[in-house]
Amino acid sequence: MDTFIWYELMTPDVEGAKAFYGAVVGWTMSDGGDPAVPYTIVSAATRGIGGIARLPAKDAPPGWFGYIGVGDTDAMAQRIVDAGGRILRAPDDIPQVGRFAVMADPGGAAFMLLTPLPREDVPPRAAPGTPGMIDWHELSAGNGQEAAFSFYSTLFGWTTVEEMDMGDMGKYRIFAIDGVPAGGMMDKPSQTPAAAWAFYANVDGIDAAMDRITANGGKILMGPHEVPGGSWIVQATDPQGVDFALVSAHR
C-alpha cells in the first residue's frame, strides 16, 4: 500500500459539514453503523472515500486528515519515530476496520496510519479526475520540502516526478506513488500557521464549484488558479473554518 487510502474530517458540526460538502463536492453520506461511535461515511458515487466525525476535544483544531495504508501500523509507527517523527496517538484497533495510529512528520504535519483488515471487495483504483475522488495531496512542510520528501520517500517509497521553481517560495516538488503523480510538497509559506497536508477533491468545473462554496457558507481563500497541466484549483474554508481544496480539469 504505502499510499493514501482514506480521508477524515474532524469537525465540531457534523450535520453542517455533511450538508456543506454534499452540496459543494457532491459526496453522499451514510451512517457508519455503530451507534456507540457515531461516524459518517463519505462516498463518491458508491465508493467510500472517507468519513466525518465529531471533534473530540474543544481545544483541538478541526481539520481534514489523511490515512496512509501500511502493512504493519506498529512497525511503521516505530520507523517514523526513528526517522524523526512523533506518535500523537499510539497504535490501536478500530473494530471491524483495522489498526491505526496518529503520527506527525518531523516538520509537524499530522497524518494517520492504517492497516486495514483483509477484505475481498477492495475496489480498483478510480480513473484520475473522477468526480468526488481525491487525487492530489499537498504538503506545506514545516521543515522544508527537501527534508520532508526525504522522510516520506524513505518510509513509503514515493518518488520525485518534477521540481518546479516558484521563485521566492522555493521549489514545488511533484511526487508519485506507485509511478502515478499524486501530489506536491513545498516549504511552508510564512503566512501558513502550521505545517499540514491538504487534499484536493475533484469536481466538474471550478467556477460552478466556487459558486456552491459561497452559496453554502464557505469562503474562498485562493483561486481560481490554473496549474501546470491545465487543471484549475481553488482553496477555501468550510463554514466551520476548516481548510479544503478542489481541483477540476476545466473552469
Side-chain angles (χ1 to χ4, degrees), residues 76-102:
M76 181 57 76
Q78 185 58 55
R79 288 184 62 195
I80 288 169
V81 171
D82 293 343
R86 293 181 293 132
I87 295 176
L88 302 182
R89 179 170 176 176
D92 198 2
D93 293 325
I94 305 174
Q96 301 181 343
V97 174
R99 191 159 176 83
F100 85 111
V102 184

Side-chain angles (χ1 to χ4, degrees), residues 1-171:
M1 290 179 284
D2 293 341
T3 186
F4 287 97
I5 60 172
W6 195 254
Y7 309 90
E8 192 168 85
L9 172 63
M10 303 298 293
T11 177
D13 182 3
V14 171
E15 292 305 315
K18 289 164 60 177
F20 177 80
Y21 288 102
V24 170
V25 186
W27 287 329
T28 57
M29 313 289 171
S30 59
D31 186 5
D34 184 353
V37 186
Y39 193 79
T40 298
I41 302 296
V42 175
S43 297
T46 60
R47 180 191 297 262
I49 61 100
I52 300 175
R54 188 171 304 280
L55 195 66
K58 292 182 179 179
D59 57 348
W64 279 98
F65 300 93
Y67 285 76
I68 299 175
V70 296
D72 186 331
T73 286
D74 294 72
M76 181 57 76
Q78 185 58 55
R79 288 184 62 195
I80 288 169
V81 171
D82 293 343
R86 293 181 293 132
I87 295 176
L88 302 182
R89 179 170 176 176
D92 198 2
D93 293 325
I94 305 174
Q96 301 181 343
V97 174
R99 191 159 176 83
F100 85 111
V102 184
M103 310 299 299
D105 68 22
F111 62 99
M112 320 289 207
L113 300 176
L114 179 63
T115 303
L117 293 176
R119 51 180 290 190
E120 298 179 355
D121 58 343
V122 178
R125 177 180 290 172
T130 299
M133 299 299 294
I134 294 175
D135 291 334
W136 200 253
H137 314 81
E138 189 171 81
L139 176 65
S140 294
N143 58 340
Q145 62 87 14
E146 289 190 12
F149 178 73
S150 177
F151 171 82
Y152 286 99
S153 63
T154 298
L155 291 167
F156 303 117
W158 301 350
T159 57
T160 295
V161 175
E162 183 181 0
E163 291 183 74
M164 302 167 55
D165 190 349
M166 300 192 298
D168 293 342
M169 294 181 66
K171 291 183 178 179

Side-chain angles (χ1 to χ4, degrees), residues 131 202-206 208-209 212 247-251:
N202 293 306
V203 292
D204 185 13
I206 209 70
R212 296 194 298 272
V247 59
S248 175
H250 61 91
R251 289 285 298 266

Side-chain angles (χ1 to χ4, degrees), residues 129 200-209 225-227 229-234 245-251:
Y200 288 72
N202 293 306
V203 292
D204 185 13
I206 209 70
D207 288 338
H225 179 67
E226 189 174 14
V227 295
S231 293
W232 291 83
I233 64 171
V234 61
L246 304 176
V247 59
S248 175
H250 61 91
R251 289 285 298 266

